[in-house]
Amino acid sequence: MKAYIETTLNRALDTLGVPPDAREGVVVEHSRGTGHGDFATNAALVLARSEKRNPRELAAQIVRALPASDDIEKAGVAGPGFVNFFLSPGAWQSELGRILDAGDEYGRQKSDANLRILVEFVSANPTGPLHVGHGRGAAYGDSLARILEAAGCGVHTEYYVNDAGRQADILAVSVWVALLELAGERPRLPEAAYPGEYIKQTAGKLREAFGETVVHPWKDIAAALPSDAPEGDKEAHVNALIEEAKTRLGKDYESLRRDALAMQVEGIQATLKRFNVHFDRWFSESSLVADGAIEHALTRLSDRGHTYEEEGALWLETSALGDAKDRVLRRGDGTTTYFASDVAYHLDKLERGHDIALDVWGADHHGYVARVRAAVEALTGRGEAFEAQLIQFVTLTSGRMGKRSGNFVTLDSLLDEAGTDATRFFYLARSHDQHLEFDVKLAQQRSNDNPVYYLQYAHARIASLWRQLKEKGLDWNRSSARRQLSRLGTNHELTLIKHIARFPETISAAAADRAPHQLAHYLGEVAQAFHANYNSETILVEDDAVRSARLALASATQGVIASGLALLGISAPERM
RNA sequence: GCGCCCGUAGCUCAGCCGGAUAGAGCAGCGGCCUUCUAAGCCGCAGGCCGCAGGUUCGAGUCCUGCCGGGCGCGCCA
């Protein structure tokens, strides 16, 4: 519909002899407020400057030059020189016809470009359960991926499993200490180790597999360790414990480490499945080491002249490419850094044919963006192929209980309280680059105060109409309803059509802006327009033609809400 | 100290590439169920868009400074 107005406007500008390159900045947009029609253009305001003309006069000329059209009821000049377009009911009725024809596919776009995007999100260290902060990234990344796909992109999603570094060793010794405790030893948990119930649970499950083979007297182990914090250095202490575990357990250490990690990954997978979050691939960091991808990336960086050696370490010259300082790739002791793995991973992403590597990170990683972009630039010469979306922090509130940091509450416990649908909606209704205050009490309310039910309720109400229709022994079909659309004409009906007509452009905008919250807000408006219409006019009336037309509108509305909720990963219930 | 994000109604937040009287939900007040689900609808009230300059025909939106809040600045991952 907007495109139609644009072509109409351009024809008028052609008639007036405005050269195409003078139309820079001219836009057609949806009018704000009710008095300004359906669409508006700033053409006269933009052209007035270059043409040195009175904008209102120019606007009047544009209006006169508009080709005649049944779809445009009237066009007029308003304010400083806007041209407002008022569309006829007939134009909206035929728009609804096109929406019905599109069926379930309505809103989905086929793009010729077929941009390939790899969305990597969550990627939390597999050293414990996901917390509420991860949950926001999970909802965002999953929903963004669905939206990008609907907008015509080729989308692939990945979770990067950090299973190669020191964190994994710390997890392993944390579990080892818990195993010793189960065997009757009285070990002291290092300051730097992971505390928490889940460590004990992991140990409990692994106890049988490892039995007594990993049990050593704690006093012997402790004797070999430097003192822990607060007297000593906690990092040195835990490092020594890791070494102790490696020598004492031998090849059992690797198994313990691997199994402990696998159990954390399984736990994370279970939580995400419950949260309706899907990944196409779980990408293991250690596989980069195994298949030589890190060496491949480092060689490439050296070949391209971006590295140098200093103090025995290999550095990447990221500061020349926008980063604050250079970064170490290979330490003096020969081991590669986490950054080196990440560089190799991003090279791999692009070498697999993705046009954009889109990473969803917590906002606390923002300092990392410049160095990864610099690395991608150094590797491929196209740093812009790397894109990071930063998710701001979550704080939890519940009534007067005060605020809790979201990083201390597990996602599972939040889902226990509020459920997947409400939780996803609360995460997604806010812009991701805004701090989020999550009202747990509100999210778990099954009442009219809870905004997610507002959308679902609209869907359920429509579903109920179809059941009623069947009970009355009536039926409805699209092709005959299509001929009755001229029966729609009340303000509420036209307003609802205008809202559902914006679904495709809403998807495009949400995809382009990486902003699922725009879709959440849009669906609220659709539901609002539906509820208002539902209250003002009875849909299941006696008159066959009118009923058929009104059900056509209800059908299209239901389709938009169901598709929209699906893009947010939220269910669309048949009854409530 | 340097860097990134953010200050909009009592609260939580929208505000699309600068556009016309700044919007929504909750909280508050007042109406609407013998008719398709009242988890709904209709109405009222509520705002120096943090402060001060600047750019522009036009600024909540762009630029600069200041105030206030969050986060980050490892040969950790």
Side-chain angles (χ1 to χ4, degrees):
Chain A
M1 198 53 83
K2 189 169 159 183
Y4 171 75
I5 299 294
E6 278 164 0
T7 36
T8 305
L9 172 66
N10 275 317
R11 283 175 59 191
L13 295 179
D14 290 343
T15 310
L16 293 175
V18 177
D21 59 347
R23 299 176 195 180
E24 178 89 15
V26 172
V27 291
V28 172
E29 54 191 7
H30 292 272
S31 300
R32 279 200 203 168
T34 43
H36 303 303
D38 297 311
F39 292 93
T41 180
N42 62 350
L45 290 160
V46 172
L47 298 174
R49 200 179 318 189
S50 53
E51 308 239 325
K52 298 251 189 314
R53 298 264 310 275
N54 178 321
R56 281 192 64 98
E57 213 171 87
L58 196 56
Q61 223 171 13
I62 293 171
V63 170
R64 281 195 297 275
L66 287 170
S69 159
D70 289 340
D71 290 335
I72 299 175
E73 197 163 77
K74 64 171 177 170
V77 183
F82 289 101
V83 176
N84 291 332
F85 298 87
F86 294 76
L87 301 197
S88 65
W92 291 112
Q93 289 153 5
S94 24
E95 179 74 3
L96 176 59
R98 287 188 288 274
I99 293 169
L100 290 167
D101 291 343
D104 291 344
E105 289 299 297
Y106 177 58
R108 300 190 72 86
Q109 283 128 62
K110 293 174 214 72
S111 165
D112 299 328
N114 201 26
L115 197 64
R116 295 193 60 194
I117 302 184
L118 193 160
V119 184
E120 182 212 326
F121 59 108
V122 188
S123 298
N125 283 334
T127 51
L130 296 179
H131 57 61
V132 164
H134 298 129
R136 190 179 190 191
Y140 174 83
D142 183 70
S143 184
L144 179 61
R146 296 173 193 232
I147 290 168
L148 288 170
E149 191 165 30
C153 301
V155 180
H156 180 79
T157 55
E158 288 189 1
Y159 186 121
Y160 182 57
V161 184
N162 301 131
D163 54 5
R166 199 170 84 100
Q167 309 278 3
D169 287 315
I170 295 178
L171 173 71
V173 294
S174 301
V175 172
W176 186 41
V177 168
L179 280 168
L180 295 179
E181 201 161 12
L182 285 175
E185 293 290 323
R186 305 204 135 270
R188 178 178 161 202
L189 183 71
E191 284 294 318
Y194 298 114
E197 267 314 300
Y198 69 93
I199 294 290
K200 288 179 183 152
Q201 286 168 11
T202 305
K205 289 178 192 163
L206 292 178
R207 190 183 183 183
E208 209 172 310
F210 288 92
E212 296 299 307
T213 61
V214 297
V215 177
H216 294 252
W218 177 252
K219 60 175 170 51
D220 296 353
I221 299 166
L225 304 178
S227 53
D228 199 0
E231 314 87 57
D233 177 14
K234 64 176 184 178
E235 304 294 337
H237 178 80
V238 80
N239 283 344
L241 181 60
I242 290 167
E243 288 313 311
E244 199 64 19
K246 283 179 179 171
T247 49
R248 283 176 182 268
L249 305 189
K251 65 181 184 349
D252 281 343
Y253 177 78
E254 257 322 299
S255 319
L256 176 64
R257 183 175 172 283
R258 192 191 57 226
D259 290 357
L261 274 171
M263 289 185 65
Q264 305 316 312
V265 172
E266 278 166 28
I268 288 169
Q269 287 175 330
T271 303
L272 289 172
K273 186 177 182 187
R274 178 185 180 198
F275 197 40
N276 203 13
V277 170
H278 170 77
F279 285 97
D280 294 321
R281 181 172 175 187
W282 292 70
F283 193 103
S284 157
E285 181 189 356
S286 54
S287 74
L288 290 168
V289 185
D291 67 14
I294 293 180
E295 286 311 313
H296 167 61
L298 296 192
T299 306
R300 179 149 173 172
L301 286 169
S302 299
D303 290 350
R304 291 172 64 97
H306 293 287
T307 60
Y308 60 91
E309 299 217 14
E310 196 176 289
E311 294 171 28
L314 180 69
W315 294 73
L316 177 61
E317 220 170 6
T318 49
S319 64
L321 299 166
D323 194 11
K325 51 178 282 195
D326 293 343
R327 309 290 171 177
V328 172
L329 291 166
R330 198 198 308 275
R331 301 183 185 92
D333 66 6
T335 59
T336 53
T337 59
Y338 172 80
F339 179 55
S341 296
D342 223 4
V343 168
Y345 180 35
H346 282 86
L347 176 60
D348 185 69
K349 287 178 179 181
L350 297 179
E351 283 184 338
R352 278 185 272 151
H354 294 103
D355 301 303
I356 296 177
L358 196 166
D359 288 16
V360 178
W361 293 346
D364 54 336
H365 287 67
H366 66 75
Y368 208 69
V369 175
R371 84 183 68 164
V372 174
R373 174 163 297 126
V376 171
E377 176 66 31
L379 284 162
T380 65
R382 45 188 193 107
E384 70 285 352
F386 170 72
E387 177 184 331
Q389 291 296 330
L390 301 174
I391 307 297
Q392 295 294 327
F393 276 39
V394 178
T395 48
L396 295 177
T397 60
S398 42
R400 292 180 188 165
M401 293 283 288
K403 298 181 182 183
R404 291 176 282 172
S405 163
N407 292 4
F408 296 114
V409 179
T410 65
L411 179 56
D412 270 317
S413 68
L414 180 61
L415 293 177
D416 289 341
E417 289 184 73
T420 292
D421 284 346
T423 300
R424 283 190 70 125
F425 186 82
F426 272 61
Y427 277 137
L428 294 172
R430 300 281 176 256
S431 174
H432 67 280
D433 57 14
Q434 195 82 230
H435 285 240
L436 174 67
E437 204 152 301
F438 195 116
D439 189 333
V440 182
K441 205 142 198 176
L442 183 58
Q444 67 185 351
Q445 262 177 51
R446 308 186 66 80
S447 78
N448 50 350
D449 297 344
N450 193 335
V452 66
Y453 294 118
Y454 188 79
L455 307 180
Q456 296 183 317
Y457 188 48
H459 186 270
R461 271 183 152 179
I462 297 169
S464 169
L465 290 174
W466 303 115
R467 291 192 296 269
Q468 302 270 334
L469 190 71
K470 203 172 177 182
E471 277 171 28
K472 291 184 179 180
L474 298 168
D475 66 352
W476 177 88
N477 73 76
R478 189 166 67 196
S479 51
S480 61
R482 240 188 142 303
R483 291 190 294 275
Q484 306 298 343
L485 299 181
S486 62
R487 306 289 177 147
L488 300 171
T490 67
N491 279 338
H492 282 120
E493 287 163 347
L494 291 175
T495 301
L496 182 52
I497 296 173
K498 290 172 189 180
H499 274 102
I500 62 178
R502 297 184 66 164
F503 189 43
E505 67 195 72
T506 301
I507 290 176
S508 301
D513 297 343
R514 320 291 195 232
H517 79 279
Q518 289 177 12
L519 180 60
H521 279 267
Y522 164 77
L523 291 175
E525 286 170 19
V526 172
Q528 144 80 34
F530 169 74
H531 286 307
N533 177 55
Y534 182 90
N535 254 268
S536 71
E537 268 106 25
T538 304
I539 292 168
L540 298 177
V541 291
E542 292 297 319
D543 186 310
D544 288 340
V546 173
R547 186 181 66 243
S548 190
R550 290 181 178 171
L551 282 170
L553 179 53
S555 170
T557 304
Q558 187 180 24
V560 166
I561 293 177
S563 303
L565 285 174
L567 292 176
L568 297 179
I570 296 171
S571 70
E574 293 289 307
R575 54 182 92 224
M576 288 173 72

